[in-house]
Amino acid sequence: MRATTRAANQDSGNPADRRRARSARPAVEPLETRNLLSSGMLAAVNQYGVPSQFLLSPGGSVYYNTISNKLTNPPTWNGWVSLGIGLGGREIAAGTSLVGVTVRPYVELLDDLGNVYFNGQNSSGAFTGFSPVSVGAGLTSISSGTLPIYNAPFVFATNTRGDVFYTQQASNGAWAGLSPVGLGVGAAELAAGVIKLNASPLSYEPYLFMLNGAHNVYFTERNTNNGWTPWSPVGLGVGASSISTISVGNTPMVTLVNGMNDVYSNQETAPGSWAGWSPVSQLNVGAIVETGTVANYTPWTLMVNGLGNLYSSYGGAGAWSNWQSLGTAPPPAAYAFTANPGNAPFAFIIGTDGNDYWNYQTTFSTWHGWIKIDVAPPS
């Protein structure tokens, strides 16, 4: 679906209108974040087709694991490496950024005190250690991403009052102070993404979907004067219990699970206008957790049902495939979802048996089945 473009010289004088027209071409720079379907404990990223995982253990420690040899069948993994012991934490988010000319992973930790910390790989592949993003603000949830071209990781966050804030990393590694995106909006959950703007010089900007305490969904994006557009109502009275997002064809898409445990999606057709909610695959599927959607050109959605089984669907508004089982596995205590550059999704779970499993597609929409990687660190 193509966004309706807006010429750069059509400025109404309203700061909300001072945005450059969007290109309908999707971004291809291999930077990503996968805070989607992460359950707060497990996050996954892709580095040139090689998936990596970050784990927040029940004991509040952070670990990293990546494939050591992708030519074996199945590929072999390095094993869990500690990035910080006993840190405490509510959730993690992960992504990638360019370090020199190499795509490197990073992880962000929201700790038990409401502070956010950042840890990323340097040019030699070693993690630099957790450094503060925001301390003392009493934050309660985060959603993050990376701006291509600028190569800038960013974080949206909420506090106990339901306010929404934004911060972005500078090229020297320092983080800007929290700036307000929405005060008094009653935010309960956030889902962030990035869109490409059609102007010279080429520019990317962050966007945000917000689920409030009344179970309604709203949208805002940053415009070219670093302000934020007014909150656009995307779903009023939809009874949303969770949300996730991805940019498809350079237009934001949002997916929700409602109070009936059904999954729906909606996509922007023009700035501030929405196609309307349509069901993702069959209804009455008993989805009990949020969905995560990954896409280059075709969106994929992952769903966990009430029995703890994982299913996927692909397609788009009004044309989703039937839910397809990923195979039998232990019920998941944590789960994550990412995709390789060819848009083939990877799925990960930490089973209730304490083991780490992953699943990938051997051919289009054909899943290999669950492979046990290793025992997940408990502390």
Side-chain angles (χ1 to χ4, degrees):
M1 183 178 297
R2 292 177 176 266
T4 302
T5 58
R6 179 180 298 165
N9 60 359
Q10 290 179 327
D11 187 347
S12 68
N14 183 343
D17 290 334
R18 290 184 203 142
R19 75 184 84 185
R20 284 164 277 189
R22 296 179 192 160
S23 166
R25 296 169 295 178
V28 295
E29 189 172 357
L31 306 176
E32 67 163 345
T33 182
R34 293 291 173 245
N35 192 29
L36 313 176
L37 196 64
S38 67
S39 76
M41 294 174 57
L42 190 67
V45 296
N46 162 65
Q47 306 165 74
Y48 292 119
V50 177
S52 300
Q53 299 179 84
F54 292 94
L55 171 68
L56 175 60
S57 76
S61 303
V62 179
Y63 295 86
Y64 172 74
N65 199 354
T66 190
I67 285 178
S68 58
N69 187 347
K70 64 180 180 180
L71 300 180
T72 60
N73 186 20
T76 54
W77 291 72
N78 280 320
W80 293 103
V81 176
S82 171
L83 302 185
I85 300 297
L87 302 172
R90 300 180 183 180
E91 61 180 286
I92 55 173
T96 57
S97 62
L98 287 173
V99 178
V101 296
T102 304
V103 175
R104 300 286 186 181
Y106 65 77
V107 62
E108 291 146 346
L109 167 70
L110 173 64
D111 72 10
D112 293 328
L113 299 176
N115 305 315
V116 180
Y117 295 89
F118 177 91
N119 194 353
Q121 278 188 352
N122 59 24
S123 58
S124 66
F127 282 89
T128 58
F130 284 97
S131 58
V133 174
S134 173
V135 175
L139 303 176
T140 55
S141 66
I142 57 174
S143 186
S144 65
T146 302
L147 293 176
I149 305 301
Y150 315 114
N151 197 37
F154 62 84
V155 175
F156 289 96
T158 62
N159 61 13
T160 55
R161 297 184 298 273
D163 303 324
V164 180
F165 299 93
Y166 177 85
T167 183
Q168 182 174 313
Q169 189 182 48
S171 58
N172 64 359
W175 288 82
L178 294 176
S179 61
V181 178
L183 300 180
V185 294
E189 186 177 336
L190 306 175
V194 174
I195 55 171
K196 182 169 62 175
L197 300 182
N198 186 15
S200 181
L202 181 63
S203 177
Y204 290 78
E205 296 292 347
Y207 70 79
L208 181 70
F209 288 97
M210 181 267 290
L211 171 63
N212 69 8
H215 306 287
N216 300 319
V217 182
Y218 291 85
F219 174 85
T220 186
E221 63 186 3
R222 191 169 67 179
N223 52 42
T224 56
N225 65 356
N226 288 327
W228 297 90
T229 61
W231 290 100
S232 169
V234 182
L236 300 182
V238 292
S241 59
S242 64
I243 55 173
S244 64
T245 185
I246 193 70
S247 176
V248 181
N250 207 44
T251 56
M253 172 184 283
V254 60
T255 308
L256 67 77
V257 175
N258 66 12
M260 301 297 293
N261 298 326
D262 293 323
V263 186
Y264 286 83
S265 68
N266 201 348
Q267 190 167 352
E268 194 178 42
T269 56
S273 298
W274 301 91
W277 295 97
S278 60
V280 174
S281 193
Q282 312 100 303
L283 300 179
N284 302 313
V285 294
I288 61 170
V289 299
E290 62 185 299
T291 61
T293 307
V294 296
N296 286 341
Y297 304 100
T298 301
W300 288 84
T301 300
L302 200 70
M303 177 268 292
V304 182
N305 71 6
L307 299 176
N309 298 316
L310 276 75
Y311 293 81
S312 69
S313 177
Y314 65 89
W320 292 91
S321 69
N322 288 340
W323 290 110
Q324 178 186 19
S325 173
L326 273 64
T328 302
Y335 28 82
F337 196 36
T338 187
N340 70 19
N343 201 47
F346 303 116
F348 300 87
I349 64 170
I350 303 296
T352 53
D353 62 356
N355 292 312
D356 179 31
Y357 297 83
W358 80 303
N359 205 338
Y360 59 90
Q361 290 192 355
T362 54
T363 59
F364 182 76
S365 86
T366 300
W367 291 86
H368 176 279
W370 293 101
I371 301 169
K372 185 170 74 172
I373 299 175
D374 202 351
V375 176
S379 61

